[in-house]
Amino acid sequence: MKHTKPKLAPNLAKREERLTATIAALKVKIQQIYDEGEVSPQGCYVARYQVRQQQKIYWYYKLQATEPIFEQAFISPKEE
């Protein structure tokens, strides 16, 4: 029995061109986002939550981080 290599998809070159074009377009979009102004640090996201008060609902948005960004202020009980 003769062993043959599997044939590659006939449109592999077209797929490669589409992927290359998509990567280039994404790089342009990323640069546009950076050019528009400040970008949040890596690991940050916008969290949406609601608060109900006196039969009304208020939506709030806050910037959350997966890791601590700022140094935590700590006052020991002896320093008070």
Side-chain angles (χ1 to χ4, degrees), residues 1-41:
M1 182 172 232
K2 187 176 179 182
H3 183 67
T4 58
K5 290 184 179 179
K7 291 184 180 181
L8 295 176
N11 59 358
L12 186 61
K14 289 180 183 178
R15 286 178 22 200
E16 181 183 8
E17 288 174 15
R18 287 195 316 264
L19 283 172
T20 302
T22 301
I23 291 169
L26 287 171
K27 287 181 178 180
V28 168
K29 186 63 178 171
I30 290 168
Q31 189 58 51
Q32 287 174 343
I33 291 169
Y34 278 106
D35 291 345
E36 287 178 4
E38 289 188 40
V39 177
S40 64

